[in-house]
Amino acid sequence: MTGRRRSALDEARAIALLERALKSSARGRRIELGIGDDAAVVVPGTERLVFTIDACVEHVHFDRRWLSLGDLGWRALMAAVSDLAAMGARPLCALSNLGTPAAITASELARLGRGQGAAAAAIGCPVVGGNISRGDVLSITTAVLGETARPLLRSGARPGEELWLIGELGLAACGLALLRKKRRPRSRSGALAQARALKRCIVAWRRPNALIAAGVELGQRASAGIDVSDGLGADALHLARSSAVRIVVEADRLRRAMAPELAIAAGELDRDPLELMLAGGEDYALLSTGEKRRRPRSARRIGRVERGQGAWLDREGDLTPLVSGFDHLQAGE
Amino acid sequence: MTGRRRSALDEARAIALLERALKSSARGRRIELGIGDDAAVVVPGTERLVFTIDACVEHVHFDRRWLSLGDLGWRALMAAVSDLAAMGARPLCALSNLGTPAAITASELARLGRGQGAAAAAIGCPVVGGNISRGDVLSITTAVLGETARPLLRSGARPGEELWLIGELGLAACGLALLRKKRRPRSRSGALAQARALKRCIVAWRRPNALIAAGVELGQRASAGIDVSDGLGADALHLARSSAVRIVVEADRLRRAMAPELAIAAGELDRDPLELMLAGGEDYALLSTGEKRRRPRSARRIGRVERGQGAWLDREGDLTPLVSGFDHLQAGE
């Protein structure tokens, strides 16, 4: 981890405490050199390398009123690693670029690092280096390197295949909406199920999980895949465009894939839970396509692939275009 | 290149024009999949993978009054790739995360992309993907993947070895100081050499070059290496600490390595050119150590490695500690 362009004292201190916070995660056998030189050194394998980058920026992707710095570190890493899951790849290691306001304290930085480190340990993706620079707002940019024998692209979907979902949809969007409305789980008696549902949604937004194992299985079984970060509608459209097919989400099947907690929590917000499933991003579920006989056990069929174009919702035979997903910029965080 | 978390229209347009601007650079044989999916896919080799990240942030690392958006794209990529040169590695590919203010126009974004693309083509490091998100200021975070048979670390310097310099020192710092003071090259007759010197310094700051070929040669000959981005003093100290040795820069040898243009341009600023060589960063010269008999032809000896600690300047036998390098935060850009 280099810390260029920071004052000398801050730099040394910041790097030392991040190194400490991230150390427990940096146990990859393939990592020959981690934090502390000009770059990290990794032992190559024989599989394809998969390489991706993602950013979490304050006031754009998050607001510190709604999550702790530990949550932020966790989320930033998991969101980046999720792109590997979408490609059917396993993570090798990550680099993290922190932009920090001048006012950030050592203990805040350490909490952020521990959140990253916890996610890195949970997902098997050591943070092997990075960079720190000053910024007006807090930001984390994470680059991730992974590998897979057979990358799962967006472009392989074929008419006649099924549309599959692995993971939950809508919980994170519901959790964020609850936080914005300051609806916290209450523990009044008789409302335990409700409190649990709200809590599950909030945790889904604050501490998402990249579905690496599921992605690896899809890499062997699916024809195309993407992770749902922009929302089911927007990401289904990405699949449809890349594969030059029509993707149809079937409302009744989608409803059957609804988490019971979502139905409860959406009621608290007077929102249609199906709408949250369609538009909500950031659960980092995996959307994929494939032949019926190859569907993994953990995947639920939520639609079909047809000749044509676009992403559509089928409500009992009535087809309407799926609107664009949750937009972080226009949502006015 | 994914463009998550930007409004739908902007996203599609921004990605399309960046893809166009970067296309000419993306010709690596090893790149199996570039911009357009969840991640890029690269064919592995047998050498060690080298992995690094660097950021360029407006008002911290640059000011748009002093460089064009094309220069910025170029600089951002070269600065990141320079860390590979420091490790003796060749670049494979890069990912770029852009943070853009809402007011940025399509033509501005295209100019930035063309600058990145030009640097990528010049250095053989295709930009194979990235991410765009909104930010209060313009920023480019670049992750670079490279490879080398034998990584050159900071920690291998041994007492008795020579200290080597490849590339120029002080020109970029002088160029930035000239831009800040609004001293532009004039073309009055009789001052042609001076105008050329000022111009060379400004170009050194705006369009630096990562010294990849020199780094690869050092990887085979040097015992330790680093790229000079913080300033000779600060980076010599990094080498000294990592290797647990004393690094001594010899003033007379350093003066002999001075570019003639630096002597001329420093006069225009009433600055000591040796001071600019010691404190100035961002030329991306390579500082390394090794045995005399292994010194590459392109390297100049500027000092020695001794038992002890710290980085020191030897002025005719009088040793003083080398102060910390150029600090972008405290320089008050």
Side-chain angles (χ1 to χ4, degrees), chain B residues 2 10 43 82 86-87 91 96 101 110 124 126 136 139-140 160 172 184 189 201 221 233-235 285 289 306 329:
Chain B
T2 56
D10 280 9
V43 178
S82 178
M87 301 288 289
S96 155
D136 287 343
S139 69
I140 309 183
R184 297 304 185 90
S189 79
C201 291
R221 292 168 168 273
D235 290 316
T289 57
E306 294 183 346
L329 293 181

Side-chain angles (χ1 to χ4, degrees), chain B residues 142-171:
Chain B
T142 311
V144 188
L145 186 64
E147 58 186 2
T148 178
R150 178 182 167 267
L152 181 61
L153 309 189
R154 295 179 179 179
S155 53
R158 298 288 168 260
E161 291 179 336
E162 297 182 345
L163 181 68
W164 301 334
L165 176 71
I166 300 183
E168 305 289 357
L169 277 182
L171 291 175

Side-chain angles (χ1 to χ4, degrees), chain B residues 21-28 73-78 81 91-94 112-128 142 207 209:
Chain B
L22 293 167
K23 204 173 180 180
S24 65
S25 81
R27 282 204 201 103
W74 177 286
R75 275 187 102 238
L77 193 82
M78 284 295 181
V81 172
L92 268 172
C93 58
L112 187 73
R114 283 195 297 269
Q116 282 181 297
I123 208 80
C125 181
V127 179
V128 296
T142 311
R207 296 258 172 174
N209 286 292

Side-chain angles (χ1 to χ4, degrees), chain B residues 25-332:
Chain B
S25 81
R27 282 204 201 103
R29 281 173 303 115
R30 304 265 299 275
I31 310 306
E32 201 166 77
L33 182 69
I35 295 169
D37 213 295
D38 288 298
V41 178
V42 182
V43 178
T46 55
E47 296 185 339
R48 292 292 186 263
L49 293 164
V50 181
F51 192 26
T52 181
I53 195 165
D54 196 39
C56 272
V57 182
E58 189 173 8
H59 308 312
V60 178
H61 305 119
F62 67 91
D63 185 309
R64 284 201 240 179
R65 285 172 297 174
W66 302 326
L67 84 180
S68 71
L69 287 161
D71 293 333
L72 173 60
W74 177 286
R75 275 187 102 238
L77 193 82
M78 284 295 181
V81 172
S82 178
D83 276 325
L84 294 187
M87 301 288 289
R90 297 176 309 284
L92 268 172
C93 58
L95 298 175
S96 155
N97 187 85
L98 292 183
T100 60
I104 198 164
T105 67
S107 95
E108 286 173 328
L109 209 57
R111 271 179 278 153
L112 187 73
R114 283 195 297 269
Q116 282 181 297
I123 208 80
C125 181
V127 179
V128 296
N131 186 67
I132 306 176
S133 57
R134 193 158 290 175
D136 287 343
V137 297
L138 192 58
S139 69
I140 309 183
T141 305
T142 311
V144 188
L145 186 64
E147 58 186 2
T148 178
R150 178 182 167 267
L152 181 61
L153 309 189
R154 295 179 179 179
S155 53
R158 298 288 168 260
E161 291 179 336
E162 297 182 345
L163 181 68
W164 301 334
L165 176 71
I166 300 183
E168 305 289 357
L169 277 182
L171 291 175
C174 188
L176 179 57
L178 288 165
L179 289 167
R180 281 180 171 156
K181 289 210 167 181
K182 296 185 181 162
R183 297 283 174 91
R184 297 304 185 90
R186 277 162 286 172
S187 54
R188 325 178 248 121
S189 79
L192 192 60
Q194 196 200 25
R196 276 194 188 138
L198 303 200
K199 191 173 175 186
R200 177 143 189 241
C201 291
I202 289 169
V203 169
W205 184 73
R206 287 180 173 159
R207 296 258 172 174
N209 286 292
L211 303 177
I212 292 296
V216 169
E217 191 177 8
L218 287 173
Q220 290 152 5
R221 292 168 168 273
S223 60
I226 192 170
D227 64 323
V228 184
S229 54
D230 292 352
L232 179 59
D235 290 316
L237 193 56
H238 286 140
L239 269 190
R241 284 183 177 151
S242 296
S243 295
V245 294
R246 163 186 282 191
I247 300 276
V248 180
V249 173
E250 297 165 17
D252 56 342
R253 289 185 189 274
L254 187 63
R255 199 172 278 114
R256 288 203 292 277
M258 188 184 294
E261 292 92 340
L262 179 62
I264 297 170
E268 182 79 8
L269 291 164
D270 293 321
R271 294 277 292 269
D272 175 1
L274 200 72
E275 180 54 39
L276 285 165
M277 290 183 83
L278 287 167
E282 303 191 312
D283 292 291
Y284 301 103
L286 297 177
L287 187 69
S288 57
T289 57
E291 294 173 31
K292 180 180 180 173
R293 63 183 179 87
R294 299 188 64 79
R295 190 198 316 150
R297 217 177 257 200
S298 59
R300 280 162 298 192
R301 181 183 171 189
I302 60 163
R304 60 188 188 270
V305 183
E306 294 183 346
R307 278 179 212 285
Q309 54 186 13
W312 302 78
L313 182 66
D314 179 349
R315 291 183 194 257
E316 296 172 8
D318 183 21
L319 259 63
T320 49
L322 277 171
V323 288
S324 175
F326 179 76
D327 191 316
H328 297 248
L329 293 181
Q330 301 192 340

Side-chain angles (χ1 to χ4, degrees), chain A residues 7-273:
Chain A
S7 65
L9 185 71
D10 281 9
E11 171 187 346
R13 204 173 156 202
I15 292 173
L17 66 86
L18 283 170
E19 202 173 342
R20 225 169 15 245
L22 293 167
K23 204 174 181 181
S24 65
S25 81
R27 282 205 201 104
R29 282 173 302 117
R30 303 266 300 276
I31 310 307
E32 201 165 78
L33 183 70
I35 295 170
D37 213 296
D38 287 299
V41 178
V42 182
V43 177
T46 55
E47 296 185 338
R48 292 292 185 265
L49 294 163
V50 180
F51 192 25
T52 182
I53 195 166
D54 196 40
C56 273
V57 183
E58 190 174 7
H59 307 314
V60 177
H61 305 118
F62 66 92
D63 185 309
R64 285 201 240 176
R65 286 172 296 174
W66 303 326
L67 84 180
S68 72
L69 287 161
D71 293 333
L72 174 60
W74 176 287
R75 275 187 103 236
L77 192 83
M78 285 294 181
V81 172
S82 178
D83 276 327
L84 294 187
M87 301 289 287
R90 296 176 310 281
L92 267 172
C93 59
L95 298 174
S96 155
N97 186 88
L98 291 184
T100 60
I104 199 164
T105 66
S107 94
E108 285 174 329
L109 210 55
R111 272 180 276 153
L112 187 71
R114 283 196 296 270
Q116 283 182 296
I123 208 80
C125 181
V127 179
V128 295
N131 185 69
I132 307 177
S133 57
R134 193 157 290 176
D136 288 343
V137 297
L138 191 59
S139 69
I140 309 183
T141 305
T142 311
V144 188
L145 186 63
E147 58 187 3
T148 177
R150 178 183 167 267
L152 181 61
L153 310 188
R154 295 180 180 179
S155 53
R158 298 291 166 259
E161 291 179 338
E162 297 182 345
L163 181 68
W164 300 335
L165 175 71
I166 299 183
E168 303 290 356
L169 277 181
L171 291 175
C174 189
L176 178 58
L178 288 165
L179 289 165
R180 282 180 169 154
K181 289 211 168 182
K182 297 184 183 162
R183 297 284 175 89
R184 298 304 185 91
R186 277 161 286 174
S187 54
R188 329 177 243 124
S189 78
L192 192 60
Q194 196 199 27
R196 277 195 187 138
L198 303 201
K199 191 170 178 191
R200 175 143 191 241
C201 290
I202 289 169
V203 169
W205 184 73
R206 287 180 174 158
R207 296 259 170 174
N209 286 292
L211 303 177
I212 292 296
V216 168
E217 190 177 9
L218 287 173
Q220 292 153 2
R221 292 169 169 271
S223 59
I226 192 169
D227 64 322
V228 183
S229 54
D230 292 352
L232 179 61
D235 290 315
L237 194 56
H238 287 141
L239 268 190
R241 282 182 177 152
S242 296
S243 296
V245 294
R246 164 187 281 189
I247 301 277
V248 181
V249 173
E250 297 165 17
D252 56 342
R253 289 184 188 275
L254 188 63
R255 198 170 282 115
R256 288 203 292 275
M258 186 183 297
E261 293 90 342
L262 179 62
I264 296 170
E268 183 78 6
L269 291 164
D270 292 322
R271 294 276 293 269
D272 175 1

